[in-house]
Structure formats: C-alpha cells, structure tokens
Amino acid sequence: MSAPASARPAAPSYAAVLRVPHARRTFATALVGRLSYGTVPLSLLLATQRATGSYAASGAVLSLYGAAVVLLTPARASLVDRHGARRALFPLAVAHGGLLCVLAALTWRTGAPVPLIGAAGVLAGACAPPLGPTMRAVWSRLLADRDLLRRAYSLDGVAEELLFVSGPALVGVLVAWTVPAFGLLLGALLMVVGTAAFVTSPAMTGPRPRTEGGGHRGGVRGLAAPVVVAAGTGLAISGVELLVLAHVGADSGDTDLVPWVLGALSVGSALGGLANGAIDWRGPARTRLTGFAVALGLTIAAAGLAPGVWTLAVAMACAGAFIAPALTTAYLLADESAPASDRTRAGAWVNMAVNAGSSAGGLTTGALLGHLPLPLCFALTGATALGSAGVALAGGRRREPARV
C-alpha cells in the first residue's frame, strides 16, 4: 500500500506522514507495544535484585534476557516476513507476555532460584516480537515517496528514543508505590495489547511473495554498510555513557550531573533526527551514512578535550545530533537493499547490530579506563564510528539511486 498522490504535498512534512491513511493508528499502537521494551529491562533488573539480594545475579539475568532479545531478532523477523505480521507477531507477543508474568511471579517475593529466573528470562527474550523492524517495514509499504519515507523513519527513531527515556521513568514511579515485579506485568500488558491493536490495523498485510534474490539463505545482500555503521554507532554510544561518568567524576566529583550530560546527548539525537527528516537531501544514502558516522566519531573524539562539565554537555549534544541520523539512514539503506519479502529481516539485522554494539561498548570502554588517559579513551571510542564509516565507504562501489 502506498500513499495517494493527494496525500503527499510538494514539500513533504511530518504532518504529511501522519496524514497517510492508517498511519496514525498503526504507528500509535506499535509505540504502545514498544514501550514495553523501555519498561521491562529496568523492572527485571530491580525485581531480580530484590528477589535474590544479589547484584551479580540481577546483572546476569538481565544480560541473558538482553542477549536473547538481540541475537534472535533476525530469526523472529524472518518469521514475520515468511508468515506475515498478523500470523507471527501476536503469538510471539502472547508468549513473551506470558513469560514476563512468570518472571513477575518468580520475583514477587524473595527466594526464587536464580537459574530458574535466568531460564525464564532467556525464554522471554527469545519470544520478544520485533515490533520496531516490523513498523519500519510497514512504513516502507505505506510510503512509496522516498522523501516521506525518510521523514517517517526519522519520526520513528525519535519516538523510539523517547520511549526508552520515558520507560525507565515510568518504572521509577511504579517502584515508589509497589514492588518492581509489577513493572514486568505492566510490560506484558503493554506488549500484548499494543501488538493486538497493531496487527489488526488495516495497514497490515500478509507475507510478501518471494522475489528473485529474496529469502536466500545466508541473509539479505547489501547490508554490510548499514549493519557495520549501526554496530559502530552502538559501540560509540555505550562507550560514551561510561566515559561521561568518568569525565564528570574526574572534573567535579558530582556524579549527579551525569544524567544531565547524557540528557544533552539524547536531546541532540532527537533534534538531529528531526532535522535529518526535514532536510531535502540530494546525495545518496550511503554517502550520508558515511558522513554521519565520520561526524559522530570526530565529535566524540573532540569531547575528550572538554575543559569542564558544561562544555562536555555541549559536546555531547553535538555528538548526539549525528546519532539518530546515522541510525535512520542505516535503516533506510537496509530497506533499499532488501526485496519486499525481506524488509523486516533487513531492518532487524541493523537493529541487532546497534544493540549488540551497545552491549559490547561498555565492556571494551571499561577495560580501557584506568589504563589509558581519558582523552585517548574518547578518541578510541570515536574511532569505532570512524572505522565503521571506512567500511561503509569501502563498500560503496555498488551503484545506488541519487536520492533516498
């Protein structure tokens, strides 16, 4: 399905995206389900710590859950491409929600065996519906106009970032009134209700017919550049979060300022994402992807030279301005590279890459801190984004359209 010509003004805007038939309902219901991903991780961490009394156990359970969510995303997305969102997503949502309820029951009181909580966490993560990749595939079907599609992806990325900020805040409110396990029940409710409403939208269709080159074994072709840049961006983001903590601690000793500095990073990313969608880009997507990754890496490297906390906050806002554009462009390039029958899975590979990079970034940066000067740590973190840009540039020999 694509937007009729009358729904697309000469200068496409975010309002034009939401005026496309069925777009608002589909997008809103997907966001309800995706809010679960903003509430569940912190709820699981707090509930497990309360039930076991062990920070090590809670960290291990959260890691197992996160690994299952991230690493199996392409496989679950492949189910959506093969069987259609209506047939694949809702059973996954019900299974995921049911297992979150099991986790809530296990962690409601103290004394549950840690291996049992961990096993339930792995199973819950393995069933997590790929709502983000599916919604981006739906945008691609709804919007034949590539300018509108770019704006839709930018809007989607900014909304997702806001969900991951508001989700933990919502858990914080809940924890003040009830046990953390209640947050797992809330996550289950959001996921099941949101997914049910999402898959019943008129915008949802059955599986796409396989086209030549689509659905081949070994993955979708043409994904190296977006996947590598997404992974490099994820590595840089998680590394920066730890470096900001170290920088603020060394500069003022007041770690209460850390959320404000990281908030500047999020604000910069949101504003950069909106600006990226509003600008009428003329160059190819691969060139923009490379440019955003280079700008992100250089800005992070320069942030290590910030003389104070507030200068660092400004530097983080500047770095953030390239995060959402880089990820949005990676999703767009993945969508362009995939046949219609594999678009959900293509987006899922990018999604997995950024999340896997985020998981690894803290570990690698933590290993560097204490052994190398802080400015050098910033420079090396920025180098991950620069390196990913080099890979994208090296793979740019494939011809692509002038505008995406």
Side-chain angles (χ1 to χ4, degrees), residues 269-301:
S269 180
L271 294 177
L274 291 174
N276 176 60
I279 294 173
D280 186 17
W281 298 103
R282 296 291 177 179
R286 189 183 295 270
T287 301
R288 297 202 307 274
L289 182 67
T290 302
F292 290 140
V294 168
L296 175 63
L298 292 176
T299 310
I300 290 174

Side-chain angles (χ1 to χ4, degrees), residues 29-310:
T29 54
L31 291 179
V32 171
R34 290 159 76 178
L35 179 57
S36 175
Y37 291 125
T39 61
V40 167
L42 181 58
S43 297
L44 181 59
L45 184 71
L46 296 176
T48 304
Q49 196 282 325
R50 182 178 181 271
T52 64
S54 169
Y55 289 105
S58 58
V61 169
L62 183 61
S63 296
L64 289 170
Y65 169 82
V69 171
V70 171
L71 297 178
L72 294 178
T73 295
R76 295 190 300 270
S78 183
L79 292 176
V80 176
D81 282 331
R82 184 178 301 118
H83 302 292
R86 287 179 171 170
R87 294 176 61 187
L89 281 182
F90 190 64
L92 285 172
V94 170
H96 181 68
L99 287 161
L100 290 179
C101 292
V102 170
L103 281 168
L106 289 172
T107 57
W108 200 273
R109 295 183 176 84
T110 60
V114 174
L116 188 59
I117 299 175
V122 169
L123 292 175
C127 297
L131 294 181
T134 304
M135 184 64 232
R136 282 182 281 270
V138 171
W139 281 128
S140 185
R141 291 201 299 269
L142 285 174
L143 304 170
D145 186 299
R146 302 301 289 184
D147 287 327
L148 274 176
L149 181 61
R150 177 163 44 81
R151 283 161 175 78
Y153 272 36
S154 295
L155 182 64
D156 190 281
V158 171
E160 187 171 62
E161 182 144 356
L162 293 176
L163 291 181
F164 280 95
V165 171
S166 59
L170 180 58
V171 173
V173 173
L174 287 175
V175 169
W177 293 94
T178 185
V179 295
F182 191 85
L184 296 171
L185 297 179
L186 175 64
L189 179 65
L190 289 169
M191 181 59 73
V192 174
V193 172
T195 303
F198 178 55
V199 299
T200 54
S201 166
M204 307 303 289
T205 61
R208 287 279 180 168
R210 292 289 175 185
T211 57
E212 186 176 352
H216 61 280
R217 295 178 183 179
V220 182
R221 294 188 180 96
L223 290 183
V227 166
V228 169
V229 170
T233 302
L235 280 164
I237 294 170
S238 59
V240 159
E241 291 173 349
L242 187 56
L243 292 174
V244 164
L245 176 62
H247 192 295
V248 173
D251 183 79
S252 67
D254 186 3
T255 55
D256 290 342
L257 296 174
V258 171
W260 293 98
V261 178
L262 293 178
L265 184 75
S266 296
V267 169
S269 180
L271 294 177
L274 291 174
N276 176 60
I279 294 173
D280 186 17
W281 298 103
R282 296 291 177 179
R286 189 183 295 270
T287 301
R288 297 202 307 274
L289 182 67
T290 302
F292 290 140
V294 168
L296 175 63
L298 292 176
T299 310
I300 290 174
L305 304 175
V309 172
W310 298 116

